[in-house]
Amino acid sequence: ETRVNQLEAIAAAMRNIGKKYDCIMISVGQAGDSASGKEVLDMGDVYMSNTGMPAAMDVMIGIGMSKNLEEQGLRCYSLPKNKLSGDHGSVIVRINPFISRVSSL
């Protein structure tokens, strides 16, 4: 199978496990080239999967960064998909890379 098919199969399997055991499943992936320089990410920014992996998720959190945000030590957390509340907003946060701390502004 292709890498895209493998990633989509894994995402679907994780969703099925979460349903079966009534538990939260967390998957971490990376953004593709389309996310480069973007603050607010969307579902199409998932590396190697624009539909299959996002389809298996209930909530997706994107972490975006423009040049301006990078210079200030900031990142943008966005919710490109949110079946739980429907909120698709975003928030700017401060990053302290030396101690891996995220804080609100």
Side-chain angles (χ1 to χ4, degrees):
E1 290 194 26
T2 67
R3 178 66 66 194
V4 172
N5 291 344
Q6 291 172 339
L7 290 171
E8 291 176 3
I10 291 168
M14 287 184 64
R15 181 175 178 83
N16 291 335
I17 290 168
K19 284 180 179 179
K20 180 177 180 177
Y21 295 103
D22 193 28
C23 65
I24 295 172
M25 302 298 287
I26 298 174
S27 176
V28 178
Q30 70 184 52
D33 289 339
S34 62
S36 182
K38 285 175 67 174
E39 291 183 13
V40 178
L41 303 185
D42 57 51
M43 289 191 290
D45 290 320
V46 176
Y47 179 67
M48 293 188 80
S49 181
N50 290 332
T51 56
M53 287 180 64
M57 308 296 159
D58 289 332
V59 176
M60 293 178 69
I61 301 170
I63 304 173
M65 177 186 69
S66 64
K67 194 68 162 168
N68 183 42
L69 289 183
E70 181 178 23
E71 290 169 355
Q72 299 177 64
L74 305 174
R75 300 294 183 271
C76 180
Y77 284 16
S78 55
L79 294 167
K81 184 172 184 180
N82 186 354
K83 288 184 177 179
L84 301 181
S85 73
D87 178 14
H88 295 281
S90 61
V91 62
I92 304 291
V93 298
R94 182 164 310 284
I95 300 288
N96 184 333
F98 302 107
I99 57 174
S100 299
R101 178 177 286 168
V102 175
S103 58
S104 62
L105 295 181

